[in-house]
Amino acid sequence: QQPVQSPQAVILREGEDAVINCSSSKALYSVHWYRQKHGEAPVFLMILLKGGEQKGHEKISASFNEKKQQSSLYLTASQLSYSGTYFCGTEGGTSGTYKYIFGTGTRLKVLA
Amino acid sequence: NAGVTQTPKFRILKIGQSMTLQCAQDMNHNYMYWYRQDPGMGLKLIYYSVGAGITDKGEVPNGYNVSRSTTEYFPLRLELAAPSQTSVYFCASRPGGADQPQHFGDGTRLSIL
């Protein structure tokens, strides 16, 4: 079953923060985050593995709670370039099943 | 490196026609995937492959077929095209291991009229 992301959409002003959540009904081995601009392919942001540490990339970081089967993406001091649709990608099972599916998506719009 | 290459980039089909969407990767990745993305929606897994000769169904396999005779190529076949198959199709690949991300092609925009 497809992981559910929340919120579905969010509008921010430059400099504001946002949190995007990804929740799965199945056990997760890893969670990956991507951003997709309109008309383009998704672009990889970061990976979180079961038992791994919280990851960070500049002002974008993420966490993974394997017990709750949830991951959150944190965007701080948002920039115009952060606009796009964010997807979590998940691979289930205890050691990965290779069936790689994406969450429902969160549309993020950053305004000047 | 070219990465993941998809052809064609655009195509218009008539209802009932068939076609093959091509996908090739030059990174020697074992795992390859086909997704479809309807307008304003997320990515749905159609089929995937963990190696040459091995394929499996994803979330929305009906109306599609795949084959994987080599590591490099993973074509997607549409038989009897229907308007509901109008979508953007993305091919992706990744090496083995859960710590590896998907590498996407640029997509094929398909309209069925």
Side-chain angles (χ1 to χ4, degrees), chain B residues 52-95:
Chain B
I54 306 170
T55 62
D56 205 350
K57 296 178 180 178
E59 302 168 279
V60 289
N62 290 344
Y64 306 94
N65 279 302
V66 293
S67 60
R68 183 118 182 255
S69 56
T70 66
T71 300
E72 295 81 8
Y73 300 103
F74 190 40
L76 178 71
R77 177 84 177 160
L78 276 74
E79 304 282 1
L80 299 175
S84 60
Q85 293 177 306
T86 293
S87 192
V88 178
Y89 291 84
F90 287 104
C91 178
S93 73
R94 55 197 290 246

Side-chain angles (χ1 to χ4, degrees), chain A residues 2 29-30 32 34 36 39-42 44 47 49 87 91 97-102 107, chain B residues 31 33 35 37 40 42-45 48 50 59 90 94 98-102 104-105 109:
Chain A
Q2 191 175 26
Y29 187 75
S30 67
H32 305 177
Y34 297 79
Q36 184 181 32
E40 299 178 5
F44 168 71
I47 286 176
L49 298 175
F87 293 100
E91 192 177 58
T97 63
Y98 319 123
K99 188 173 184 178
Y100 191 105
I101 61 176
F102 286 89
R107 289 193 184 88
Chain B
Y31 308 149
Y33 303 78
Y35 297 91
Q37 186 173 34
L43 296 138
K44 292 282 193 178
L45 179 63
Y48 66 105
V50 299
E59 302 168 279
F90 287 104
R94 55 197 290 246
D99 60 341
Q100 301 297 322
Q102 295 277 29
F104 282 89
R109 283 152 183 79

